[in-house]
Amino acid sequence: GAGDMFRAYQDMREANYVGADKYFHARGNYDAAKRGPGGAWAAKVISDAREFWQGGVSGRGAEDTAADQEANKWGRSGGDPNRYRP
């Protein structure tokens, strides 16, 4: 699961496309959760830690954090990541 999350992050950095971050959040969580309960757990832990840092330390704000977490949960629950594709 952690590898799926890292791969989605790398792809997001490579794409460097404004407004695409929610897609990559959903896709990383989706791919990790497909691996089973351990993958879903890893995706949740990584997503929560990232959003804690992003919302508190980086100053991006609660609204962006909430939108990211919505995409994270959508992907983890088996929702199609393309819902967030720009």
Side-chain angles (χ1 to χ4, degrees):
D4 295 310
M5 297 293 288
F6 184 67
R7 193 169 21 268
Y9 176 75
Q10 286 180 312
D11 291 348
M12 179 180 70
R13 300 284 297 185
E14 184 179 323
N16 193 29
Y17 190 86
V18 174
D21 64 321
K22 306 300 182 263
Y23 165 75
F24 290 105
H25 279 270
R27 197 192 84 193
N29 278 270
Y30 176 83
D31 290 345
K34 283 190 342 185
R35 296 187 182 278
W41 176 83
K44 181 167 180 18
V45 168
I46 292 167
S47 295
D48 288 349
R50 182 180 185 278
E51 294 310 321
F52 175 78
W53 179 86
Q54 184 179 352
V57 176
S58 76
R60 294 231 178 150
E63 189 174 308
D64 187 61
T65 295
D68 286 350
Q69 286 289 44
E70 178 186 323
N72 293 336
K73 290 175 190 172
W74 175 261
R76 255 192 328 271
S77 70
D80 184 358
N82 288 315
R83 171 185 186 177
Y84 296 98
R85 187 181 288 265

